[in-house]
Amino acid sequence: MPKEIQIKVGFGDQFRDLTVRIQDDDVKPWQPGDRLNLIGQSTPRVDAVAKVTGTANYSYDQKPKGMIYGKILRSPHGNADIVSIDIDKAKKLPGVRAILTAPEIFEDESARYAGAEVAAVAADTEMQAEAALRAIEVEYDIKPHCVTVEDARKEGAPQVGRGEQVNVARISPRQRRGRRGSNSDMDERLARQEAAVGKVIQDSDVVVEGEFSTQVQTHAPLETHGSVCSWEDGRLICWASSQATFGFRNELTSNWGGVRAKSCQILSEYVGGGFGSKFSAGREGVLGALLAKEAGVPVHLMLDRSGEQLSAGNRPDSLQQMKMGVNKDGVIQGTRIRSWGTPGTGTGGAGAHNDGIYNIGEVDKIEYGVRTNTGGAKAHRAPGWPQGAFALEQMMDMAADEIGMDRVEFRKKNDEHPIRKVEYDIAKDRIKWNRSLTRNGGAEICQGLGIASNLWFSAGGGGASALVRITKDGQVEVRNGAQDIGTGTRTVMGMVVAEELGLEMNQVATRIGNTDDPQGPASGGSTTIGTVTPAARLAAFHAKKELMEIVADRKGWDASELDLKDQEVWRIGEGSTGMTFESACALMDDDAIEVLKGRPRRNYEGFSDTNAGVQAAHVEVNQATGAVKVLKVVAVADAGKILNPLTSESQVRGGVIQGVSFALFERRIMDRQKGRMLNDDFENYKMLGSMDCPEIDVVLLDVYNGKSNTQVMGLGEPPIVATAAAVANAVSDALGVRMYDLPITPKKVLEAIAKRDAAKEVPAQKKGERL
Amino acid sequence: MRPFKVIRPTNEKEAMEQVSKGNASYLAAGTDLLNRIKEHVASPDSVVDLKSLPGMNTIEVTDQGIWIGALVRLSAVSSHTDVLSRFPAVCETIIHAATPQIRNMATVGGNLCQKPRCWYLRHEGYSCVKNGGTGCWARDGENEFHGIFDNQICSATQPSNLAPVLVAHEAVIEIASKDGVRELTADQFFIGPSSDPLREVSLEEGEFVRRVMLPESTRAGSWAYEEAREKQSFDWAQASVTLLLDRGGRKGDHRVVLGAVSPAPLRRSDIEKKIDGSDDEIAEASGIAGAGATPLSENGYKIPMLKGLIGKAIRSARSRKEG
Amino acid sequence: MVSKNKNPENPEKDGVSRRSFLQGAGAAAAAAGVARIPETVIAGQNGVATPEVLGPEAESIQLKVNGADKKASAPPSTTLLDFLRNDVGVTGPKRVCDRGSCGACTVLLDGQVVDSCSMLAIDAVGKEITTVEGIGTPDNLSRLQKAFIEKDALQCGFCTPGMVVSCTALLEENPKPSRNQIREGLSGNLCRCGTYQNIIEAVEHVSRKGG
């Protein structure tokens, strides 16, 4: 039975009372004015000592007794079928213990991109495994390939897929299935929509349009994908670099690749980054488990950097055609969007979120997935959002300029988010929006400002339980089997429990990344903290209740009047009873209190279902060399209640840095001749380094959101949404010419300058359209 | 990594004998060679470790110039007081190279003899004129970072950051060869593909660099080194300009050497002549930056980039002189 | 089209490299059955009449790591990083790019930062090797490590061992670095999570308090 409670929701000077129905055993969200000891205080990570001393043991670092090394052979061809694999010579080489072939394991003879798995070897040493890989003889049926969206869309392009698979498929809106004639219904509906929105745009005061493109970005976590697998009496123990321990386990107990482990434990106490690429065990996970089974000893199979860059995931590219109708009062009337992107050899998952964030009037949007012979896309930190925001935010600036309205005022005019409305002004103030700068290419070194917005949806959800254990001698431990990929989940889980029990951080032990512990979520959608912490708080609350009942029983007090604060038993409203936490625990008859509680499946009604965020960038462009330097990014962020400002700020900084790196440097480079990735390394795949890092000014808004008992929302993904868009707008502001393609390299800057200067010489030319 | 033998010769003759036996390569620090072995684009059965040879790890300051042993680490050169005071441009180019870690490891000799960073050349499976095959994949492929001058046979560029400044200083490269020691000037040492597409430097079979001399007679009155690249943290230059003014106290004895745009460092005497102290010297000098260039599909941007860098270099060198 | 493609990674090149490689592997196979008496590798044996020849099969290699002697048998083509991680169990230095581009494997060699992935283990014989484990331990953290914790200069933590080593060397060389000098000092260390600003703050924190 749900119960009704009164709470305050809001932030800053915008609070309101709300009656919410919460799960009957749940605890009331913290309220403004509550005396909190840890929550809201910057708290160092509980695993920081291990990480700064090199004693944190990642999957890559495991070495169970008898462990040998696995390696994967990959196809060098852009598109091929595997005709035969001869492993005879390899088998005879010294140290070789197991060889598997991909067609046999995955029942798939195709190797549809350069980097596709062909075979795997386990041998005593890495050198032996490598020697064996190179002794495997593979016969390929090489087919023509296409590795770019442009090539794959061409008339008569080589077929990427097999069978009936076409290269280009409409992915949104989807074809309806099942009903006869429904496809032509859909086509008619889309045609009507195109005509109607076309008219709305046509009738607007001003029309702006542009074609934007973004590049393929690889996740490039520093710890590559892979695992160390050990079979012990039919049970598979697997140290996995995973951001979804339970999902990883479920794959290895499933029929995939025939692993079918009857029992399986995933251990991921430390994970060297994931960013969306480590949800699945992947083919490497399956191969690792099977190599260990065949070899009869534990196998270390972590991808090498090339394998990681080729096969372990990326953010798909995009080509976005946008056309927007705007009235002179600043209200957007309608927007037409067509977009294409390649998720690799499939078609799903390459959409760009270019119609979110603002009200953009009537929308006519169609998205296409384009198959190419390239490594597959995976969810990548705010999938679809940074690329969509880039196109949308360029359009916002173009439209504002066209009607002569301030770029921030124009956004406000088309934005109803209650938090973002406040965030605009903070960002403007901190970046000094109205400062005077040498803009529009006015000098060799010029500067510019840009602004853009975030949007996210992540109050967490069901799917997590936490175990809180309080022992008779006063030890406290909280366990959840999910992982911490660097976000600080583990620390915050401990903070929530310590807060509830009135303890200090060092009195609560935390255990994570172990599927023998209670169920936890995948680190996806920025939902981990919002999912795990309400379960942890609930378990701690009930463990406390049990302890207070024991104390009340022994002391003849009323349990409902007792609470734990400052490591002592308090009488609510009166203060400490003088009894310490340890002496309260000592009153237990049993060895320990153990409480397992699950998070409520649904979120409560609260202040806002979404988190917002605004970022402003200040850049400097050297017109002689084309170099762009991001001087400063102001990132105003909100994520419900900020539990740990220290790690929250780090999350925002991290998002901004990856966003700047996406804006200026990173891109996968494919050789169209042989269909191979040319920069499958860290020398030519360029990621932002210390000297390219801007000053980042993070402003966190603390929002009493009410969505759960910890009322936290996720913060991993939203901060990367706006950054590249804000940087690109700032570069355009500095140069006086629009940038349509990411990344903004010196080459593109110099080319844009040349184009701008040529246009200046022919002033009669039509302005600023690329279509 | 594939297994290989490591041979440690005790003298130069032995080194040359060992390297000519079968499939062998010289090893200095290994920062380049090990990478190429890992990529399977070099597959020596044995490496002959030059570090076991005596006398190649010192910097010697004489009246004629500064001799730098081939095994001296890049960071030891850039922090050497005499090199810093007499040949500051050399130090400046070094601190733009690679990373602090690599500069502590890589040797001067290895830096000069590293293979080009062309991603086709360093990718197993692309046979081209530079590794014994024919043609150049970059010409019809991804050539954004390739050369714009002398790029008809092979469009890879000379990767050494030191190379252009050594040419500008007319450094002497001392080479151990079968018949003893021979010397080349830096501009003779670095060669383009028309001489021999398989080599970037004038070393015959078995030869290696012993030391490099920076001649006192080419000390610059003023200087500048400007380079453009995408990232400031560890990246390769897309284009660079080394400018020495009034070398050896001789007014008008300038050197302009371009880097990262051609197979060997490109001295541009036509640009040098334009640097005459006149009011429009920057416009005049940078205006002809692209003379003779034959850009490929993706690297035409290097011409305006060079123009920008030449302007920056002249301004920088002039202000250094006045300041 | 069917391409018979014996060397899967290298369709165009002739078989030279592969053939010679297999010979090498064969030699290793033969040697595997022979009890080779391990010989500790000593660097720079000047004055010996004939060249010293090591490998290709495993040799006994002894290194001084964090003040302790660490000995194992490994081919002389083994990189310092692989020797540390796979052969003597020192896993603080991480293998991330394995090409000297990212600094995750950074160690100090006689006090200077190097990428342990890009040099041979035998070239470190006789030198003092310091890994992150030698900078400070959980019970005895260095001031820099404490500052890393306080400033949250780590997220996933995989770049952290290299960062700690680089920052330690940086402060050793220059106890009062400017912000730009810190950035330059870290330019060989990549972080994917984006902790640069926190790391800079940690270094400045130690620097302000006096190195």
Side-chain angles (χ1 to χ4, degrees):
Chain A
M1 274 293 283
K3 62 184 179 191
E4 269 188 7
I5 57 165
Q6 301 286 324
I7 58 169
K8 276 198 189 314
V9 294
F11 71 105
D13 54 7
Q14 300 184 39
F15 279 96
R16 63 171 193 262
D17 293 316
L18 191 69
T19 304
V20 289
R21 291 157 69 82
I22 66 170
Q23 186 171 296
D24 58 356
D25 65 349
D26 203 358
V27 51
K28 186 178 180 175
W30 292 300
Q31 291 295 285
D34 279 1
R35 191 179 75 97
L36 298 173
N37 179 38
L38 285 165
I39 296 302
Q41 303 298 317
S42 280
T43 306
R45 289 167 200 261
V46 295
D47 50 6
V49 170
K51 286 178 176 176
V52 300
T53 53
T55 52
N57 280 318
Y58 295 79
S59 298
Y60 214 127
D61 302 329
Q62 301 299 328
K63 198 175 186 184
K65 198 168 183 305
M67 187 187 85
I68 62 173
Y69 294 89
K71 286 191 186 288
I72 294 176
L73 178 69
R74 297 178 184 281
S75 166
H77 301 296
N79 190 11
D81 283 341
I82 299 166
V83 177
S84 68
I85 303 177
D86 184 349
I87 61 169
D88 284 352
K89 278 183 197 152
K91 229 164 38 184
K92 290 177 192 135
L93 290 178
V96 175
R97 307 274 197 105
I99 302 182
L100 302 170
T101 65
E104 215 173 310
I105 304 298
F106 301 110
E107 293 169 6
D108 178 8
E109 276 82 36
S110 70
R112 282 183 283 170
Y113 68 98
E117 299 82 359
V118 173
V121 169
D124 290 351
T125 69
E126 292 201 72
M127 276 191 211
Q128 288 169 337
E130 188 181 324
L133 279 192
R134 297 182 69 78
I136 294 173
E137 295 181 353
V138 186
E139 189 181 323
Y140 293 97
D141 174 6
I142 300 167
K143 299 174 178 302
H145 59 261
C146 35
V147 293
T148 65
V149 166
E150 193 188 354
D151 286 349
R153 285 177 65 197
K154 278 180 190 152
E155 192 85 23
Q159 188 196 12
V160 172
R162 301 289 184 267
E164 301 291 295
Q165 294 173 341
V166 292
N167 283 359
V168 183
R170 194 179 74 215
I171 52 170
S172 173
R174 283 190 181 281
Q175 300 282 16
R176 275 186 236 143
R177 286 183 188 167
R179 258 181 356 163
R180 198 178 306 175
S182 60
N183 284 350
S184 62
D185 287 354
M186 175 67 90
D187 290 346
E188 272 172 39
R189 188 174 77 75
L190 291 177
R192 280 198 306 276
Q193 171 184 294
E194 180 166 29
V197 174
K199 186 167 185 326
V200 168
I201 294 171
Q202 201 64 48
D203 293 347
S204 308
D205 293 343
V206 164
V207 178
V208 285
E209 60 186 312
E211 182 176 297
F212 304 90
S213 69
T214 64
Q215 73 281 27
V216 173
Q217 176 188 31
T218 65
H219 297 72
L222 293 198
E223 185 183 28
T224 54
H225 285 62
S227 59
V228 175
C229 289
S230 175
W231 292 83
E232 292 172 15
D233 302 325
R235 176 172 163 86
L236 173 59
I237 297 167
C238 177
W239 288 268
S241 192
S242 168
Q243 65 185 97
T245 48
F246 291 93
F248 204 111
R249 181 192 66 184
N250 294 346
E251 285 177 338
L252 295 185
T253 52
S254 78
N255 200 25
W256 187 26
V259 181
R260 282 189 295 260
K262 282 203 187 76
S263 159
C264 173
Q265 181 184 28
I266 304 295
L267 295 165
S268 306
E269 188 178 4
Y270 298 99
V271 180
F275 314 111
S277 66
K278 289 181 180 167
F279 291 119
S280 170
R283 284 189 165 191
E284 60 278 357
V286 169
L287 291 169
L290 292 176
L291 282 173
K293 197 176 204 174
E294 179 146 333
V297 288
V299 169
H300 182 282
L301 199 169
M302 302 298 297
L303 299 187
D304 60 15
R305 180 51 52 189
S306 166
E308 178 76 22
Q309 298 302 98
L310 292 173
S311 76
N314 57 66
R315 179 189 300 285
D317 58 8
S318 74
L319 176 70
Q320 304 170 64
Q321 294 174 349
M322 312 267 296
K323 188 172 184 180
M324 189 180 263
V326 184
N327 278 355
K328 290 219 164 102
D329 62 1
V331 178
I332 302 170
Q333 301 299 306
T335 306
R336 179 188 195 273
I337 301 167
R338 296 290 179 271
S339 78
W340 293 261
T342 182
T345 58
T347 56
H353 294 287
N354 42 24
D355 54 346
I357 304 178
Y358 304 112
N359 297 326
I360 54 171
E362 301 286 315
V363 177
D364 164 32
K365 174 173 173 174
I366 302 177
E367 284 182 315
Y368 301 91
V370 183
R371 289 180 210 275
T372 57
N373 297 107
T374 58
K378 285 182 180 164
H380 192 162
R381 201 169 192 171
W385 283 91
Q387 54 267 51
F390 164 66
L392 176 62
E393 297 283 6
Q394 305 313 295
M395 290 292 286
M396 295 299 282
D397 270 17
M398 288 158 72
D401 293 357
E402 197 67 32
I403 59 169
M405 189 180 261
D406 174 81
R407 293 164 186 166
V408 175
E409 292 311 309
F410 177 65
R411 285 172 171 80
K412 283 183 176 173
K413 193 98 185 170
N414 296 286
D415 188 354
E416 283 167 1
H417 201 288
I419 305 171
R420 202 182 298 112
K421 276 187 176 305
V422 174
E423 291 173 330
Y424 283 120
D425 292 332
I426 300 171
K428 269 178 74 170
D429 182 49
R430 307 278 285 223
I431 204 76
K432 302 192 182 76
W433 185 250
N434 296 317
R435 76 206 295 173
S436 109
L437 296 170
T438 307
R439 291 185 155 92
N440 294 319
E444 181 169 303
I445 293 176
C446 48
Q447 299 194 345
L449 303 177
I451 200 155
S453 299
N454 304 331
L455 183 67
W456 206 251
F457 329 77
S458 57
S465 304
L467 179 81
V468 169
R469 181 181 157 89
I470 305 174
T471 64
K472 195 179 168 74
D473 60 356
Q475 308 287 317
V476 178
E477 187 183 45
V478 54
R479 294 182 181 185
N480 174 272
Q483 58 293 317
D484 181 340
I485 57 173
T487 57
T489 302
R490 181 179 192 163
T491 304
V492 175
M493 183 171 89
M495 288 171 72
V496 164
V497 171
E499 183 70 53
E500 193 60 37
L501 299 180
L503 300 175
E504 294 299 323
M505 263 318 267
N506 58 13
Q507 294 177 282
V508 176
T510 54
R511 196 167 102 167
I512 57 148
N514 181 339
T515 53
D516 284 359
D517 283 336
Q519 178 84 20
S523 294
S526 301
T527 57
T528 320
I529 285 179
T531 301
V532 170
T533 55
R537 187 175 176 212
L538 192 54
F541 173 78
H542 286 278
K544 176 172 72 177
K545 215 167 140 191
E546 279 189 34
L547 180 62
M548 291 305 95
E549 277 160 13
I550 292 167
V551 170
D553 188 45
R554 290 296 183 88
K555 292 284 179 182
W557 295 339
D558 179 353
S560 69
E561 289 178 359
L562 298 180
D563 198 359
L564 288 169
K565 277 201 186 306
D566 300 342
Q567 306 156 69
E568 291 182 340
V569 178
W570 280 43
R571 196 168 270 122
I572 296 167
E574 288 180 26
S576 175
T577 62
M579 178 188 281
T580 64
F581 176 72
E582 279 78 12
S583 37
C585 293
L587 298 176
M588 286 181 206
D589 290 327
D590 299 331
D591 287 347
I593 294 169
E594 272 189 8
V595 175
L596 175 69
K597 280 285 177 184
R599 185 198 191 278
R601 289 176 53 80
R602 288 176 192 285
N603 290 318
Y604 306 137
E605 187 193 338
F607 180 72
S608 170
D609 291 338
T610 56
N611 32 345
V614 171
Q615 292 184 12
H618 180 190
V619 307
E620 181 175 283
V621 186
N622 187 323
Q623 298 200 79
T625 60
V628 174
K629 187 170 174 54
V630 182
L631 301 172
K632 182 174 181 172
V633 174
V634 172
V636 190
D638 60 276
K641 179 117 195 74
I642 300 297
L643 303 182
N644 186 356
L646 183 68
T647 51
S648 297
E649 190 166 326
S650 292
Q651 278 295 295
V652 177
R653 288 179 175 189
V656 168
I657 285 173
Q658 284 189 3
V660 173
S661 193
F662 179 60
L664 301 184
F665 308 120
E666 296 181 39
R667 75 272 202 192
R668 179 178 74 185
I669 295 170
M670 298 298 302
D671 172 42
R672 293 161 68 233
Q673 302 164 99
K674 289 198 177 226
R676 299 180 189 177
M677 181 177 180
L678 292 172
N679 57 343
D680 53 340
D681 54 56
F682 276 178
E683 180 176 318
N684 295 303
Y685 187 83
K686 298 180 184 181
M687 294 190 295
L688 177 146
S690 57
M691 291 170 79
D692 311 294
C693 186
E695 178 195 345
I696 305 166
D697 177 16
V698 178
V699 182
L700 294 168
L701 297 187
D702 195 28
V703 180
Y704 286 79
N705 185 289
K707 308 288 290 181
S708 72
N709 68 31
T710 57
Q711 44 197 348
V712 61
M713 294 184 76
L715 197 52
E717 286 162 294
I720 201 180
V721 174
T723 313
V727 168
N729 274 338
V731 172
S732 297
D733 187 43
L735 289 175
V737 61
R738 183 62 42 198
M739 302 306 296
Y740 293 92
D741 306 318
L742 295 184
I744 304 170
T745 58
K747 169 182 189 278
K748 289 182 193 163
V749 169
L750 291 170
E751 287 170 352
I753 290 169
K755 213 167 164 184
R756 176 198 69 195
D757 294 348
K760 270 186 199 156
E761 284 161 23
V762 194
Q765 226 174 20
K766 262 184 80 180
K767 63 178 179 238
E769 290 179 6
R770 273 192 17 146
L771 281 186
Chain B
M1 180 83 82
R2 72 198 295 271
F4 50 77
K5 273 191 285 195
V6 178
I7 298 169
R8 289 173 160 168
T10 56
N11 59 52
E12 294 179 0
K13 188 164 162 279
E14 229 171 59
M16 283 183 260
E17 277 167 18
Q18 290 296 331
V19 88
S20 59
K21 279 188 202 164
N23 180 14
S25 299
Y26 282 126
L27 171 78
T31 53
D32 179 30
L33 179 64
L34 295 180
N35 278 1
R36 287 187 291 114
I37 294 174
K38 289 173 187 174
E39 295 291 348
H40 306 286
V41 294
S43 330
D45 293 325
S46 55
V47 300
V48 178
D49 187 359
L50 295 174
K51 294 190 296 299
S52 64
L53 298 180
M56 282 171 34
N57 194 14
T58 53
I59 296 179
E60 200 185 330
V61 182
T62 70
D63 290 346
Q64 283 72 44
I66 300 182
W67 287 95
I68 303 171
L71 291 174
V72 176
R73 313 280 165 170
L74 293 182
S75 59
V77 178
S78 62
S79 61
H80 193 276
T81 356
D82 292 298
V83 182
L84 204 53
S85 63
R86 297 202 211 173
F87 301 96
V90 172
C91 301
E92 181 74 13
T93 62
I94 288 176
I95 60 171
H96 280 82
T99 67
Q101 288 91 328
I102 296 293
R103 294 195 295 270
N104 282 339
M105 307 169 78
T107 64
V108 168
N111 180 270
L112 302 185
C113 297
Q114 66 183 306
K115 297 301 282 184
R117 316 308 292 195
C118 168
W119 41 33
Y120 291 101
L121 183 63
R122 284 178 180 259
H123 223 99
E124 190 185 18
Y126 286 94
S127 170
C128 71
V129 67
K130 205 143 196 62
N131 59 22
T134 54
C136 169
W137 291 91
R139 286 193 66 80
D140 300 317
E142 297 300 317
N143 50 44
E144 187 176 344
F145 301 108
H146 285 74
I148 55 172
F149 296 99
D150 189 13
N151 55 3
Q152 306 301 308
I153 300 169
C154 160
S155 54
T157 60
Q158 168 53 247
S160 164
N161 252 35
L162 267 178
V165 76
L166 294 190
V167 170
H169 274 300
E170 294 178 68
V172 176
I173 316 289
E174 187 185 87
I175 295 162
S177 75
K178 274 193 295 255
D179 312 318
V181 169
R182 68 186 182 105
E183 288 181 353
L184 291 175
T185 56
D187 74 318
Q188 295 168 321
F189 180 72
F190 296 105
I191 56 175
S194 49
S195 308
D196 179 357
L198 296 177
R199 295 182 300 162
E200 300 77 38
V201 293
S202 248
L203 287 178
E204 303 301 327
E205 185 82 37
E207 291 186 332
F208 59 87
V209 176
R210 293 182 86 231
R211 48 183 193 163
V212 173
M213 192 197 58
L214 300 169
E216 190 65 19
S217 59
T218 63
R219 274 180 67 178
S222 185
W223 61 278
Y225 174 73
E226 296 290 341
E227 82 171 37
R229 58 198 210 184
E230 293 190 342
K231 279 199 306 176
Q232 290 313 302
S233 328
F234 179 37
D235 201 355
W236 297 89
Q238 289 169 290
S240 76
V241 174
T242 304
L243 170 63
L244 304 184
L245 295 181
D246 305 328
R247 299 183 317 155
R250 298 177 294 275
K251 198 142 183 61
D253 183 353
H254 306 329
R255 280 290 185 279
V256 171
V257 182
L258 309 183
V261 289
S262 53
L266 189 64
R267 181 184 165 198
R268 291 289 298 271
S269 47
D270 55 340
I271 299 176
E272 288 162 10
K273 290 193 190 98
K274 302 284 184 187
I275 304 173
D276 54 7
S278 63
D279 289 346
D280 58 354
E281 64 173 356
I282 288 177
E284 290 280 316
S286 59
I288 56 170
T294 51
L296 305 172
S297 56
E298 299 297 322
N299 65 7
Y301 72 92
K302 287 194 175 189
I303 294 174
M305 187 175 260
L306 279 174
K307 285 184 184 170
L309 291 173
I310 290 167
K312 277 181 80 172
I314 296 173
R315 273 198 299 275
S316 162
R318 292 288 184 208
S319 70
R320 199 187 306 277
K321 205 171 189 179
E322 285 152 20
Chain C
M1 177 173 61
V2 175
S3 95
K4 186 81 177 178
N5 186 0
K6 290 202 171 181
N7 185 342
E9 301 258 310
N10 190 355
E12 289 81 12
K13 277 199 209 160
D14 61 26
V16 172
S17 68
R18 181 169 167 273
R19 212 163 32 241
S20 53
F21 178 76
L22 286 178
Q23 281 163 7
V34 181
R36 191 188 152 98
I37 299 160
E39 212 180 324
T40 301
V41 175
I42 299 160
Q45 284 184 342
N46 292 330
V48 180
T50 53
E52 185 184 18
V53 180
L54 302 167
E57 55 272 29
E59 303 268 0
S60 175
I61 300 172
Q62 181 174 310
L63 298 183
K64 193 160 198 192
V65 185
N66 301 323
D69 288 334
K70 298 273 183 185
K71 193 171 168 179
S73 179
S77 54
T78 305
T79 62
L80 175 58
L81 176 67
D82 289 357
F83 184 79
L84 290 171
R85 290 182 55 83
N86 295 351
D87 297 312
V88 297
V90 179
T91 55
K94 302 297 183 220
R95 184 158 72 186
V96 169
C97 76
D98 206 25
R99 300 290 187 276
S101 307
C102 77
C105 65
T106 302
V107 302
L108 300 181
L109 198 66
D110 285 343
Q112 290 204 308
V113 289
V114 296
D115 290 321
S116 61
C117 73
S118 292
M119 62 179 286
L120 297 179
I122 52 169
D123 283 343
V125 170
K127 299 189 163 146
E128 295 276 347
I129 299 156
T130 309
T131 70
V132 66
E133 289 95 334
I135 303 284
T137 59
D139 297 330
N140 186 22
L141 295 168
S142 76
R143 298 185 42 224
L144 178 79
Q145 287 168 321
K146 285 181 190 159
F148 261 61
I149 296 168
E150 193 181 317
K151 300 292 177 188
D152 205 39
L154 54 128
Q155 290 187 34
C156 85
F158 216 67
C159 74
T160 312
M163 289 287 187
V164 167
V165 173
S166 283
C167 291
T168 301
L170 173 78
L171 283 166
E172 188 70 31
E173 204 168 296
N174 179 3
K176 299 277 178 199
S178 68
R179 188 159 269 220
N180 264 346
Q181 287 170 327
I182 300 171
R183 288 177 189 275
E184 279 168 17
L186 295 179
S187 61
N189 292 73
L190 277 177
C191 167
R192 188 52 162 162
C193 297
T195 57
Y196 298 111
Q197 191 168 327
N198 303 59
I199 293 171
I200 292 165
E201 286 166 6
V203 173
E204 287 178 343
H205 183 73
V206 173
S207 162
R208 266 197 305 277
K209 290 195 164 181

